[in-house]
Amino acid sequence: MIIKSLKKKEIIKKLLNFLYLIRYLITIVLISILIIFLSPNFFDFSDNLSDLNKVLSQNNINVKKVKNISYDPIPSPSLIIKKAEILINKNSDPVIVDKLYLKINLLG
């Protein structure tokens, strides 16, 4: 019983020592992940409507008017477009949407 207890203490001590050695690496990784997810909150997306139209034109969608564009990092990164006037095809009538969620693909 004493031998098992000593082995458990030894394993825990090695694990804590390893975590102590890489604590700065863990901190840097966590801070960089936070910066990647939270930095778009400080951008003004309303001025970049032409860039948004370039991306959406691949799917035959064109945004004419927008009241507000915001960024939501949680639960998955997405752009929220409020009060938008959208043309789905060039020949169709504009559609007015209250809220439009555009999910951002982080993997490519």
Side-chain angles (χ1 to χ4, degrees), residues 72-77 103:
D72 187 22
I74 298 173
S76 66
K103 299 288 183 182

Side-chain angles (χ1 to χ4, degrees), residues 30-81:
L30 289 177
I31 289 174
S32 63
I33 288 173
L34 281 174
I35 288 173
I36 287 172
F37 280 109
L38 296 178
S39 64
N41 282 334
F42 303 111
F43 297 145
D44 184 19
F45 293 105
S46 299
D47 296 337
N48 298 332
L49 189 59
S50 61
D51 294 335
L52 181 64
N53 277 331
K54 286 179 187 176
V55 173
L56 293 176
S57 66
Q58 297 171 355
N59 297 323
N60 294 328
I61 298 173
N62 193 5
V63 179
K64 291 291 182 184
K65 294 180 185 175
V66 172
K67 182 177 181 183
N68 187 12
I69 300 176
S70 60
Y71 174 76
D72 187 22
I74 298 173
S76 66
S78 61
L79 288 175
I80 302 171
I81 302 173

Side-chain angles (χ1 to χ4, degrees), residues 74-100:
I74 298 173
S76 66
S78 61
L79 288 175
I80 302 171
I81 302 173
K82 295 180 182 175
K83 305 277 183 174
E85 189 174 315
I86 299 173
L87 291 172
I88 297 177
N89 289 327
K90 292 180 181 179
N91 300 332
S92 67
D93 292 332
V95 177
I96 298 174
V97 180
D98 287 334
K99 277 190 178 180
L100 177 66

